[in-house]
Amino acid sequence: MAVPPHYFDLITMGRIGVDLYPLETGVPLARVETFGKFLGGSAANVAVAAARMGRSAAVITRTGDDPFGTFVHEALKEFGVDDRWVTPVAAYPTPLTFCEIFPPDDFPLYFYRRPKAPDLEIHAAELDLAAVRAAGIFWITGTGLSEEPSRSATLTALEARARAGTTVFDLDWRPMFWRDPDQAHPYYREALRHATVAVGNLDECEVATGVREPAACAEALLEAGVELAVVKQGPMGVLAVHRDGTRAEVPPVPVEVVNGLGAGDAFGGSLCHGLLSGWDLEKTMRHANAAGAVVASRLACSSAMPTEPEVADLLARAASPDPADLPSQS
């Protein structure tokens, strides 16, 4: 008799690595002397964000067979993310990512993923497709489409999923990860055929659809096959449009930005939490915006992911600001 797959609320598939972030703000990387080491990578961060909100989460990815790979496993376990599908690749080192921190809106990233990142060495034959089909939400990223064998593995997982439950395509556009960025469009279109939710900022939506205006992006994503289009607009907030006509446009939650990196992954983990909870679209978007704002107000990505009470507290404070923080009426 076949053994039933282990059920997870969320399975993510894609990028993982180690973030080495400066502990000094406003200092160029060439002059930074102290760094903090954190779990990184969008697929890992989204899983961590969901786990921090009480969801069972796992990630499908690969690391180097090295001490940083060991760190990744230890960090995932500490955050409550299942690492059974995180396996080593002897040929390539675990990726490192550095950033510079110039608040409020300048956070250059430097990826060390050459000659190839091990998370692009996921093979279709390695996938537990029964678990992928069974998950409450399955989450894939644009980076996973950038090279083989990860590209074929990602599309195989999407085809096996067959739009069961909720399948999220994080557009995750990183042109430096593509040998020829002009070739990305057809793979994005293919992934959109299998997804039920698409999430991306305006740059990412433009790569996927060829248009940039937010409402047009949402409409084009729906036409490409998804049920829900989520268009992140930075300081203009987020626009979400469902195929059934439901629409939510939510402003950002104001915070003092420390490091904007990772805010999108917190948004993603919260989005999954809201979808799994059956919340209406506006509540889901407000919660996701607040989760992203919490992370933007902190240094790290993975370890900065908020708990449910922390998001609720920020939403409450945003709804009833301290009078001392309001502008003078004199």
Side-chain angles (χ1 to χ4, degrees):
M1 184 174 66
V3 177
H6 187 91
Y7 174 82
F8 289 96
D9 291 325
L10 170 67
I11 296 177
T12 67
M13 178 174 173
R15 195 164 75 246
I16 200 168
V18 176
D19 290 343
L20 292 173
Y21 283 1
L23 300 182
E24 303 159 62
T25 299
V27 179
L29 195 59
R31 299 212 305 268
V32 172
E33 295 183 356
T34 56
F35 296 85
K37 180 166 92 309
F38 308 99
L39 175 69
S42 59
N45 286 338
V46 170
V48 169
R52 292 293 285 267
M53 293 185 183
R55 295 296 176 177
S56 59
V59 60
I60 301 170
T61 190
R62 308 199 72 181
T63 71
D65 189 9
D66 54 25
F68 280 130
T70 301
F71 165 75
V72 163
H73 280 277
E74 292 172 350
L76 287 170
K77 291 174 182 176
E78 288 175 4
F79 288 126
V81 175
D82 194 289
D83 66 343
R84 69 183 65 194
W85 298 305
V86 182
T87 55
V89 177
Y92 304 117
T94 302
L96 303 179
T97 302
F98 292 84
C99 78
E100 293 176 309
I101 300 177
F102 297 103
D105 58 3
D106 187 17
F107 307 101
L109 279 169
Y110 303 89
F111 294 98
Y112 289 76
R113 292 172 56 87
R114 293 298 180 191
K116 187 177 187 180
D119 55 56
L120 294 173
E121 280 291 300
I122 302 171
H123 291 260
E126 300 168 343
L127 297 174
D128 185 340
L129 295 178
V132 167
R133 284 189 288 264
I137 294 178
F138 180 55
W139 178 289
I140 65 106
T141 74
T143 296
L145 299 172
S146 64
E147 287 195 41
E148 293 290 3
S150 173
R151 178 186 299 145
S152 293
T154 300
L155 295 174
T156 295
L158 288 173
E159 290 168 4
R161 176 83 173 166
R163 296 171 63 89
T166 300
T167 303
V168 182
F169 179 16
D170 174 4
L171 301 179
D172 183 41
W173 173 242
R174 306 283 182 177
M176 70 286 292
F177 294 167
W178 292 76
R179 298 184 188 280
D180 182 356
D182 291 337
Q183 294 184 347
H185 188 70
Y187 300 118
Y188 271 59
R189 299 292 293 186
E190 177 66 13
L192 285 168
R193 287 200 315 111
H194 299 286
T196 63
V197 179
V199 183
N201 61 31
L202 292 176
D203 290 338
E204 293 166 336
C205 290
E206 185 175 18
V207 170
T209 67
V211 297
R212 187 172 182 83
E213 192 277 326
C217 287
E219 184 61 32
L221 289 169
L222 294 176
E223 290 177 358
V226 303
E227 300 294 318
L228 174 63
V230 181
V231 182
K232 296 184 285 187
Q233 305 174 74
M236 299 301 293
V238 61
L239 169 66
V241 182
H242 196 278
R243 184 177 296 280
D244 67 7
T246 306
R247 177 188 178 101
E249 192 156 11
V250 177
V253 180
V255 294
E256 183 175 348
V257 175
V258 174
N259 184 358
L261 302 173
D265 298 331
F267 181 101
S270 174
L271 170 65
C272 292
H273 180 54
L275 293 172
L276 289 164
S277 299
W279 295 342
D280 65 54
L281 194 55
E282 181 159 341
K283 179 178 180 179
T284 300
M285 292 302 112
R286 289 192 181 280
H287 193 278
N289 261 0
V294 171
V295 172
S297 70
R298 299 171 172 175
L299 172 65
C301 290
S302 54
S303 61
M305 296 299 166
T307 62
E308 182 69 43
E310 288 174 322
V311 175
D313 178 66
L314 179 57
L315 285 170
R317 287 189 282 115
S320 302
D322 187 325
D325 296 331
L326 296 176
S328 172
Q329 298 301 311
S330 60

